[in-house]
Amino acid sequence: GGRPLVIALVGPTGAGKTTTLAKLAIHRDAFGPRRTALVTLDTYRAGAVAQLETYAHVARLPFDVVHDADDARRARARLADAQVILVDTPGRGPRAVAGDDPEGWRAALDALAPDEIHLVLPATIRPDIAEAVRERFDA
C-alpha cells in the first residue's frame, strides 16, 4: 500500500545480524526486483556503522543511520523510494534482561514501525541457550 516493508533483525552480539542483513539485501531471491534500503540502529558497537555502510556502498543501496525516534522518522521519509527497508539493531549480551535498553534503540525501532522482527541466533548455539535467548528477546 505505498509503504515500504520494514524488516528488523535482533539478536545477541556476534550472532550475524549485520552479515545476514547484507546477504538478504543483495540476494536476488530474497526480495526480487524490489528496491531495498539498509538502516542501522547499531551506533554502539565500534565499526558497526562503517561495516553496514560499506556493504550498502558496494551493493549500491541507500543507507541511513538512526540514533533515536526522530532520526527514524526522518529516515523513513528519506527512504520513501525503497520498497523494503532492512534494519540492523545492536547486539544484546546474554545477561540483558527484558526492557533493558541502555543504548535507547528500542524507541527508534518502534518509530520505524517494523512489519517483521526476526531473531538471529548463531547456528552453533545450544538449544537450551537458544530458548533462553528467545525468551529474553520475546519482549
Side-chain angles (χ1 to χ4, degrees):
R3 178 187 179 280
L5 174 67
V6 179
I7 300 172
L9 301 185
V10 299
T13 303
K17 295 177 299 296
T18 304
T19 302
T20 299
L21 196 88
K23 288 179 178 184
L24 284 171
I26 63 171
H27 197 286
R28 66 181 178 275
D29 291 338
F31 302 107
R34 291 185 271 184
R35 292 180 308 280
T36 304
L38 302 178
V39 169
T40 187
L41 304 178
D42 191 0
T43 58
Y44 184 72
R45 179 176 59 90
V49 171
Q51 181 183 9
L52 196 58
E53 184 175 33
T54 299
Y55 287 142
H57 176 74
V58 169
R60 295 186 176 106
L61 297 173
F63 171 72
D64 217 316
V65 179
V66 169
H67 295 91
D68 56 33
D70 290 334
D71 275 352
R73 287 185 275 280
R74 288 188 292 270
R76 288 290 301 257
R78 284 189 298 269
L79 300 173
D81 289 349
Q83 295 170 305
V84 177
I85 297 174
L86 299 174
V87 182
D88 193 21
T89 62
R92 296 184 63 206
R95 291 184 176 79
V97 295
D100 183 26
D101 186 15
E103 296 87 38
W105 59 269
R106 284 179 179 245
L109 182 61
D110 288 345
L112 288 169
D115 298 288
E116 299 176 14
I117 299 176
H118 296 272
L119 176 61
V120 178
L121 297 173
T124 57
I125 196 168
R126 287 187 353 220
D128 59 320
I129 295 174
E131 183 59 28
V133 171
R134 187 202 58 77
E135 287 176 11
R136 285 199 181 112
F137 277 90
D138 199 31

